[in-house]
Amino acid sequence: MASTLLAYHAASKHSFSGYADSPGFLDWETQPDPFRRFEGSPETPLDLPSDGAGPCYDLLFDRPPEPAPLSLRSLSRFLFESLALSAWKKAPHSAPWSLRVNPSSGNLHPTEGYLLLPPLAGSRSAGVFHYSPLRHSLEARRFLSADQWEEMVSGLPPGTFFAGLSSIYWREAWKYGERAFRYCHHDLGHALGALALSARIHGWRSLVLPAVGEPELARILAVEHQQGPEAERADCLLAIFPDRDNRLDAATRSFQLPAALLATLRDQRPLGDPNRLSSDHLPWPLLEQAIDSAAYSGGWPGEETISCPAVPPVVPLSSEGASLLLRRRRSAMAMDGKTSISRDSFLRILSQLLPRGDSFPFALLPWRPRVSLLFFVHRVQGLSAGLYLLLRSPAHEASLRRELRPEFAWRTPPGLPEALPFYHLVEGDFRELAAQISCYQTIASGGCFALAMLADLSDVQERPWFYPRLFWECGLVGQLLYLGAEAAGLQGTGIGCYFDDGLHDLVGVRGLPWQSLYHFTVGRGVVDRRLQTRPAYADLRRTAGSAESAEKQAGSFGTPQEKACAQGRLV
Ligand SMILES: Cc1cc2nc3c(=O)[nH]c(=O)nc-3n(C[C@H](O)[C@H](O)[C@H](O)COP(=O)(O)O)c2cc1C
């Protein structure tokens, strides 16, 4: 199984001499519907929240806001700021297309989101609900009795609910063929980041439950009987609960779905039927093998997370409101090639990428960090251009020092905090090379910096199901980069198209364990004036009642800090 996955990894590399196997053109006839619907399922429309600024983004990393009570209203905002539509775009002579709060490779959105909820005022009962980003509504897949719900959450922190994520590989395979496995799991990591950030705004903590395996998850999410290329594959279940305790007990980490409940659900027909997404499909055998080889049967209790050394606080904080940033986030399609990023903004982004023990945001992933970051610094004030490395775990250092080119200097850049595990490797202008390695995309050269995420694949030999989790970690890092860029008044773009071994050759990586699993760029995006932008949900906003609900939401950020942030200043 591990060998199949590692063979998949090698075969899905792009290189200077050729790209991984893909259709090579866009077959518009079979373009997959980006919206899963469950026809016939009872639907609960969610009131639309306002576009409020929310608490200061940078402060989220220091302390959680007071936990919001769980209600359909708070859940509406939670989804509005994580998986909802954020805008519609239109080019001359083409049909409009939607964009979402969570980014996706090629905007194809393979990730589907679910909530598992207790009985709430305004909903019929506890149950499992699919989130429809198109209609900002919940589609019931299963109703659960109050007793069944109590059984589900027994042993978990009071006030726990769950979010589940699944992937429809076909959506990415339609365009990208064999490389789709990677993109689906990058996207999943971005969605995890979007959920964790939105939960944090609500004062809720989120944790990917490590022991929950795919078969049980598929049953509870009611996707286990889906067949064929459009089938959803269950990926992970998150527990989300009020962020009051700092440490999680062993019971939470080893949580499993109750066996008796799963047995009862075995023969229960789910509510609603999945819509068909495409009229036809191409087979991608290597992708299928990768999906099967990475399947996770559950039972792993996770690992203790570890801390990077504390970095002294970087001032001043950005005054941007988190809710505003989450909904404003956009991928730059071109970079201006001249803007530089200030030293403070750059440091703030670096410090937000470092895991800090059992705390937000990386405690979301119940394992020790596996990903460190190689930076192409182009225009960062106070830093000379060149290659740099951010060690996201002290445990990576020995292996990376051994693996990377012996001539790399590993110097702490002058003027940066000593405690920051950020090293200057080599000086030079790497703009052209960064673009070349990124499939000749100039977004990698025209920004302030680009980076490659170096992941330790050692575990994949023993635990093939760890392979997708490495992409989740990369996606989460990417989501923080997108938002860190926005907070600095810049934009980011994920780069899934890059020449794997081109990067490895540059830094001296000769094979496993270190492999570059995702690239990213940050800079000043150039707006394409030919595209029109329209707000999301304009049709739903017109419906009676949402104006009133928006007013109430706007008033829900009440502390002096939140109000100051909403007005764009620091307290
Ligand atoms: C995993 C991933 C890989 C991506 N790769 C590229 C890329 O190689 N080149 C590019 O221009 N954009 C890339 N993007 C950006 C997407 O095209 C973008 O997220 C999508 O069009 C949706 O737009 P939005 O991010 O503004 O919502 C990538 C995004 C993700 C999440």
Side-chain angles (χ1 to χ4, degrees), residues 401-421:
R401 276 188 189 266
R402 239 186 352 260
E403 190 76 17
L404 300 185
R405 286 191 182 284
E407 62 267 32
F408 283 163
W410 289 83
R411 265 192 303 108
T412 300
L416 294 198
E418 282 283 321
L420 189 71

Side-chain angles (χ1 to χ4, degrees), residues 74-348:
S74 57
L75 288 168
S76 168
R77 179 156 217 124
F78 168 60
L79 291 164
F80 191 63
E81 291 168 357
S82 53
L83 302 182
L85 301 190
S86 55
W88 287 89
K89 291 273 175 189
K90 185 168 172 355
H93 318 296
S94 84
W97 67 93
S98 60
L99 294 168
R100 304 195 196 181
V101 174
N102 55 315
S104 163
S105 183
N107 201 29
L108 296 163
H109 289 285
T111 315
E112 295 293 328
Y114 291 80
L115 294 182
L116 285 66
L117 298 173
L120 293 170
S123 74
R124 200 162 107 186
S125 82
V128 178
F129 302 87
H130 171 251
Y131 175 56
S132 161
L134 181 63
R135 300 161 62 89
H136 192 55
S137 66
L138 295 175
E139 296 174 312
R141 305 284 354 263
R142 298 184 179 290
F143 289 120
L144 301 172
S145 70
D147 286 348
Q148 285 174 325
W149 178 259
E150 286 313 315
E151 198 187 338
M152 283 261 292
V153 290
S154 131
L156 292 176
T160 296
F161 70 98
F162 305 90
L165 293 174
S166 68
S167 297
I168 303 178
Y169 289 95
W170 164 245
R171 288 212 181 104
E172 290 283 334
W174 168 74
K175 180 171 179 187
Y176 296 115
E178 304 290 21
R179 204 163 158 103
F181 184 86
R182 297 171 175 226
Y183 296 150
C184 286
H185 290 287
H186 287 131
D187 284 7
L188 198 107
H190 280 284
L192 283 172
L195 289 168
L197 281 158
S198 183
R200 180 74 164 185
I201 291 175
H202 288 79
W204 302 336
R205 179 166 184 171
S206 36
L207 172 74
V208 170
L209 292 164
V212 176
E214 288 172 25
E216 304 91 273
L217 185 56
R219 173 152 317 155
I220 197 95
L221 297 185
V223 299
E224 72 175 328
H225 297 301
Q226 292 187 18
Q227 298 285 334
E230 297 185 359
E232 284 169 61
R233 301 289 293 237
D235 289 311
C236 62
L237 187 68
L238 288 84
I240 304 179
F241 44 89
D243 200 353
R244 292 208 177 86
D245 305 316
N246 258 344
R247 295 209 66 81
L248 288 176
D249 58 16
T252 306
R253 286 183 168 274
S254 53
F255 170 87
Q256 305 247 21
L257 290 161
L261 174 64
L262 291 169
T264 313
L265 298 181
R266 187 198 336 250
D267 302 318
Q268 195 189 80
R269 197 182 182 286
L271 302 162
D273 295 309
N275 59 332
R276 178 145 189 177
L277 305 178
S278 288
S279 55
D280 202 1
H281 313 89
L282 284 180
W284 295 102
L286 222 54
L287 168 66
E288 288 301 324
Q289 285 172 20
I291 297 168
D292 290 341
S293 306
Y296 174 51
S297 56
W300 182 62
E303 297 167 337
E304 281 301 313
T305 46
I306 52 146
S307 244
C308 283
V311 180
V314 184
V315 286
L317 297 177
S318 133
S319 60
E320 295 275 12
S323 306
L324 204 75
L325 286 189
L326 288 176
R327 291 201 45 87
R328 189 179 82 196
R329 182 212 62 78
R330 200 62 316 123
S331 291
M333 293 189 291
M335 296 290 188
D336 73 358
K338 54 180 189 227
T339 301
S340 54
I341 184 170
S342 74
R343 176 186 168 280
D344 281 346
S345 295
F346 185 66
L347 281 181
R348 203 161 44 236

